[in-house]
Amino acid sequence: MTTTVKPELDHVQDIRIGSKSLTFWPYRFVTDPDAEDILELFRELTAAGKHVAFMAHFNHWKEMDTPICREAIRRIRATGAEIRTQAPLLKHINDDADQWAKMWTQQVRLGMIPYYLFVERDTGARHYFEVPLVKAWEIYREAMKQVPGLARTARGPSMSADPGKVEIQGVTEIKGEKVFVLRFIQGRDRDWVQRPFFAKYDEEATWLNHLEPALGESEFFFEAEFAAMKDEKQALIMKAS
């Protein structure tokens, strides 16, 4: 396969590919008939100065503990692409700090970059997989205490909620009230990013919409603006129809 990076795409500098293929079909990059084609595409993109980030989904360290997976990792990295790793926290599968610490440490040793620990989304079979937010934070914190600095690149626990990506930064007490400390990693409004806010401590909460504002606030700082955004979008949809 021969491709050319078109001049009209010069403004595209970062290419991000999300895939779980390294866990269930690493042969895609090793022995499949077009394995060399996709690796050559990665080489051409990186040679053209593009930043290629392969976002690999690993839920457990055992998924990368096979020779074929490690060879696929080696081949992708040899193209100049980087591999970043992310996964949801899943009850019955990886709700254990030792497992995350081992997974992140192994990923670093294989040349990958730990990137995200996600809270299980509020969709599908979530009641089987979901973990309370406080436990998610405790698992993340305990895992971070065990890994070397190069593995402490993983952010989390992160909720990909409607207003944006919200990270649980910890649990603390302010003026006698126990609270979650939260912040936006990404937000519908850029001004929300990195802005801390507080929610009442709740041992049962498993998602952002289960939380209530703390410290006497009637709503979270972003709620009114987010509601206005949704109303405006709905009005545009109605107008278009």
Side-chain angles (χ1 to χ4, degrees):
M1 180 181 70
T2 301
T3 60
T4 302
V5 179
K6 298 178 180 179
E8 59 266 33
L9 297 178
D10 284 347
H11 65 286
V12 179
Q13 293 298 309
D14 300 296
I15 299 171
R16 180 168 166 162
I17 303 166
S19 177
K20 197 165 172 56
S21 55
L22 284 175
T23 66
F24 74 86
W25 196 250
Y27 305 94
R28 178 73 182 86
F29 308 97
V30 183
T31 59
D32 273 10
D34 60 348
E36 186 55 35
D37 288 344
I38 192 166
L39 294 173
E40 180 57 31
L41 175 61
F42 291 174
R43 290 188 200 100
E44 184 172 345
L45 290 169
T46 58
K50 308 297 184 183
H51 171 215
V52 180
F54 189 96
M55 316 302 294
H57 295 242
F58 289 103
N59 293 342
H60 199 278
W61 61 265
K62 287 185 178 180
E63 293 178 311
M64 68 187 80
D65 204 32
T66 62
I68 190 68
C69 179
R70 296 191 177 203
E71 175 61 11
I73 291 167
R74 186 194 68 77
R75 288 182 172 225
I76 291 172
R77 293 188 62 239
T79 68
E82 70 176 19
I83 303 176
R84 292 177 179 260
T85 64
Q86 54 192 27
L89 177 63
L90 301 166
K91 190 176 181 181
H92 311 293
I93 295 175
N94 60 17
D95 53 334
D96 177 271
D98 292 345
Q99 302 299 330
W100 282 90
K102 185 171 183 177
M103 181 168 70
W104 285 334
T105 300
Q106 286 193 13
Q107 286 168 354
V108 168
R109 288 174 181 166
L110 291 171
M112 298 185 284
I113 305 168
Y115 192 52
Y116 268 120
L117 181 157
F118 287 116
V119 176
E120 174 64 13
R121 286 180 182 268
D122 59 339
T123 59
R126 65 171 189 177
H127 297 299
Y128 182 79
F129 293 113
E130 68 184 351
V131 174
L133 297 178
V134 64
K135 184 176 180 181
W137 173 69
E138 289 169 351
I139 289 171
Y140 173 81
R141 183 169 180 262
E142 287 303 314
M144 278 289 158
K145 287 160 63 175
Q146 298 180 45
V147 298
L150 289 174
R152 291 181 182 173
T153 52
R155 295 184 288 185
S158 171
M159 292 175 277
S160 294
D162 287 344
K165 277 184 182 170
V166 176
E167 180 184 54
I168 305 163
Q169 292 202 288
V171 175
T172 192
E173 190 171 299
I174 301 176
K175 296 182 179 179
E177 182 178 352
K178 196 172 185 180
V179 298
F180 283 112
V181 183
L182 310 167
R183 70 166 179 172
F184 276 98
I185 298 174
Q186 299 286 349
R188 297 287 181 180
D189 185 322
R190 288 184 300 176
D191 189 52
W192 302 352
V193 175
Q194 297 294 314
R195 190 165 165 184
F197 61 104
F198 306 98
K200 292 179 180 178
Y201 179 80
D202 184 341
E203 289 187 351
E204 304 298 323
T206 59
W207 198 247
L208 182 63
N209 62 4
H210 299 163
L211 298 176
E212 299 179 3
L215 308 177
E217 297 293 330
S218 59
E219 62 180 15
F220 294 120
F221 78 88
F222 59 87
E223 287 192 88
E225 186 177 355
F226 184 50
M229 289 178 185
K230 291 191 290 185
D231 289 345
E232 182 179 358
K233 182 177 180 180
Q234 186 61 35
L236 291 172
I237 292 172
M238 295 297 293
K239 185 177 180 180
S241 62

